[in-house]
Amino acid sequence: EIVLTQSPDFQSVTPKEKVTITCRASQSIGSSLHWYQQKPDQSPKLLIKYASQSISGVPSRFSGSGSGTDFTLTINSLEAEDAATYYCHQSSSLPWTFGQGTKVEIK
Amino acid sequence: EVQLVESGGGLVQPGGSLRLSCAASGFTVSSNYMSWVRQAPGKGLEWVSVIYSGGSTYYADSVKGRFTISRDNSKNTLYLQMNSLRAEDTAVYYCARGVSVDPWGQGTLVTVSS
């Protein structure tokens, strides 16, 4: 099973600040890494697919990069509505796995 | 509009069974990878099962032999039959489309307790 480890677990950020969340895979997964945002009491929402591909309707301040074992989700100029928990997910091999989540709080 | 609507959750005793349903609209279930993902209260996301467009099915070790994923093409609906339920199966269960999962349903809560 591929283990995904996110860092940090928690981040408190002021609006307009840049946020970087990393996801490290226990073995190479190519670009089969996706990012989701989950707000309280809501279902997850796809933000980035295949490491860096943007999703229609997702604000351009969200971007992804990486390949192999190291991946990054970047939120440029954080907005109050971005308060949420962010998860990475690998679809390279079964069982699909998720990172433990990174909670982003707005100061 | 692409939409997924789950139903069938509820309170069940340990050892009991439930069948979850996920009605899809705006796309064809049988043409897509369809998954179940669960989230225990206050915890992260856990993949449960997937059915490929070709019909192959796969399960997390934690549910293998107890849960069965299936679909009814005529109803455009995904199912999860859950047997021998345990307290640790308590979670919100989401159905979801695709490898890069999008969209997700609203979720249905399954509580296993005596």
Side-chain angles (χ1 to χ4, degrees):
Chain A
E1 172 176 319
I2 296 174
V3 177
L4 298 179
T5 303
Q6 292 181 229
S7 61
D9 290 333
F10 176 83
Q11 197 164 10
S12 184
V13 187
T14 56
K16 298 187 180 180
E17 196 172 337
K18 179 179 176 179
V19 174
T20 300
I21 299 169
T22 65
C23 178
R24 174 162 289 175
S26 59
Q27 63 190 76
S28 179
I29 57 173
S31 296
S32 298
L33 191 285
H34 320 288
W35 290 97
Y36 304 89
Q37 175 193 65
Q38 186 178 33
K39 296 181 180 181
D41 299 319
Q42 293 187 17
S43 305
K45 171 188 172 184
L46 180 66
L47 291 178
I48 299 289
K49 66 179 182 179
Y50 293 104
S52 61
Q53 295 181 21
S54 59
I55 303 298
S56 175
V58 173
S60 58
R61 62 182 179 276
F62 292 93
S63 64
S65 64
S67 66
T69 61
D70 293 303
F71 302 86
T72 300
L73 174 70
T74 301
I75 311 173
N76 283 300
S77 192
L78 186 81
E79 297 191 6
E81 66 182 27
D82 299 333
T85 300
Y86 294 84
Y87 295 94
C88 57
H89 156 230
Q90 68 81 21
S91 60
S92 175
S93 65
L94 293 170
W96 292 352
T97 50
F98 291 86
Q100 80 278 15
T102 296
K103 185 173 184 178
V104 174
E105 173 192 88
I106 309 299
K107 282 182 181 175
Chain B
E1 180 192 3
V2 174
Q3 194 173 11
L4 296 166
V5 178
E6 299 99 333
S7 60
L11 175 63
V12 61
Q13 292 188 341
S17 298
L18 275 179
R19 188 177 83 155
L20 306 183
S21 300
C22 173
S25 56
F27 72 99
T28 302
V29 164
S30 62
S31 299
N32 287 268
Y33 286 20
M34 296 295 298
S35 300
W36 289 96
V37 177
R38 68 185 180 183
Q39 187 170 36
K43 301 298 184 181
L45 301 169
E46 179 189 16
W47 173 77
V48 172
S49 180
V50 64
I51 182 167
Y52 288 175
S53 52
S56 298
T57 60
Y58 299 92
Y59 301 91
D61 285 346
S62 58
V63 307
K64 199 173 295 181
R66 300 188 298 124
F67 290 12
T68 302
I69 190 172
S70 63
R71 65 191 182 205
D72 184 327
N73 296 343
S74 66
K75 295 182 178 179
N76 208 33
T77 298
L78 180 73
Y79 300 99
L80 186 68
Q81 177 68 43
M82 304 186 295
N83 299 329
S84 303
L85 283 161
R86 306 166 180 168
E88 55 264 37
D89 295 319
T90 294
V92 173
Y93 285 73
Y94 297 101
C95 71
R97 178 187 72 164
V99 176
S100 53
V101 178
D102 179 49
W104 299 61
Q106 86 286 354
T108 187
L109 177 62
V110 172
T111 304
V112 184
S113 175
S114 54

